[in-house]
Amino acid sequence: MSTWANLGLQDSASPLMEQLIFFHDHALLILVMITVLVGYLMFMLFFNTYINRFLLHGQLIEMIWTILPAIILLFIALPSLRLLYLLDEINEPSVTLKSIGHQWYWSYEYSDFNDIEFDSYMIPTNELSNDGFRLLDVDNRIVLPMNSQIRILVTAADVIHSWTIPALGVKVDGTPGRLNQTNFFMNRPGLFYGQCSEICGANHSFMPIVIESVPVNYFIKWISNNINSSL
Ligand code: CUA
């Protein structure tokens, strides 16, 4: 979860998010080097008197400063494509969770198991417990096993919503009439918070997402306790 003064990315809870953070740092480093170089060149232009009345063209330097940026861009484009295709890979998921966006709450279905489905509403500030997180906690959390491939199916019932969890590197739009798919793998236990990130109406800010990442045996216990119930 993000706390105040945390302006960067959250700590990753999945291998793909870790790779996304590495890629972000890599791209940022290239950006800083270009900015410093161009900034230096522009700055120095103000402090010299290099003038050549007969200079009309410079084929060589034109070649260099056209091809060099293209090569630099390749160093961003290729890792970016690698990640893009890695993010879409489905690795034989062991659990499937269906998330349906509503104005303004999420509802969930564990279709692998007998009829487990429930709504998940934000807890209003005046009903929040002392250890709760304001605008972020929900009444019914998603419980999912860690160290397992999990498939997420996202859709919406009314307008477009977006199921977004920064620590897992997941961000999928829920669109009425469509079923979008993504997957993730949680490599540590914990609570992972997310929010809707598609401007979906008056209470868009108030439909958070909470995942409880638990060991597999706890997950099985949770499932068997809730089978055939709507929480
Ligand atoms: Cu749902 Cu914004």
Side-chain angles (χ1 to χ4, degrees), residues 8-229:
L9 292 159
Q10 295 174 30
D11 288 345
S12 74
S14 80
L16 282 173
M17 190 59 214
E18 189 177 36
Q19 290 298 311
L20 283 167
I21 292 171
F22 289 155
F23 177 67
H24 165 268
D25 296 350
H26 167 76
L28 195 67
L29 207 69
I30 293 176
L31 212 69
V32 166
M33 290 191 292
I34 294 171
T35 310
V36 167
L37 178 71
V38 174
Y40 172 78
L41 292 174
M42 288 176 71
F43 184 75
M44 293 316 276
L45 277 175
F46 290 107
F47 301 99
N48 72 69
T49 49
Y50 297 150
I51 287 167
N52 188 334
R53 284 203 292 153
F54 307 107
L55 181 71
L56 291 174
H57 62 124
Q59 300 294 350
L60 184 66
I61 192 64
E62 291 279 5
M63 289 281 282
I64 293 171
W65 68 38
T66 305
I67 293 170
L68 205 66
I71 294 172
I72 294 171
L73 286 182
L74 276 182
F75 279 91
I76 302 176
L78 295 179
S80 172
L81 278 171
R82 184 192 79 115
L83 248 175
L84 185 69
Y85 286 105
L86 233 40
L87 287 171
D88 252 1
E89 198 69 57
I90 301 294
N91 312 298
E92 293 184 46
S94 40
V95 184
T96 299
L97 173 72
K98 190 172 174 186
S99 320
I100 302 131
H102 305 261
Q103 278 176 316
W104 288 274
Y105 63 96
W106 292 97
S107 66
Y108 298 103
E109 293 176 12
Y110 288 74
S111 319
D112 295 332
F113 309 97
N114 239 351
D115 228 21
I116 295 184
E117 50 181 89
F118 55 89
D119 297 338
S120 183
Y121 282 88
M122 185 191 79
I123 298 175
T125 303
N126 56 319
E127 294 169 23
L128 203 63
S129 60
N130 281 327
D131 56 354
F133 293 113
R134 194 175 78 95
L135 305 184
L136 230 40
D137 262 317
V138 295
D139 53 359
N140 294 312
R141 292 165 169 170
I142 310 156
V143 178
L144 284 171
M146 65 176 200
N147 292 331
S148 322
Q149 281 293 337
I150 292 153
R151 168 166 48 202
I152 304 289
L153 301 170
V154 188
T155 185
D158 33 50
V159 297
I160 306 177
H161 300 271
S162 180
W163 203 80
T164 304
I165 302 197
L168 298 173
V170 172
K171 177 164 175 158
V172 182
D173 272 13
T175 308
R178 291 173 52 92
L179 194 64
N180 288 328
Q181 176 182 257
T182 190
N183 73 309
F184 60 77
F185 179 99
M186 297 183 288
N187 53 14
R188 59 184 168 96
L191 285 178
F192 305 127
Y193 289 87
Q195 288 176 300
C196 176
S197 66
E198 192 75 70
I199 310 296
C200 58
N203 292 324
H204 156 67
S205 322
F206 310 123
M207 46 183 302
I209 303 151
V210 186
I211 295 188
E212 262 183 62
S213 171
V214 297
V216 179
N217 51 325
Y218 283 82
F219 173 73
I220 293 170
K221 204 173 276 178
W222 182 83
I223 283 290
S224 44
N225 281 340
N226 291 296
I227 226 138
N228 291 322
S229 79

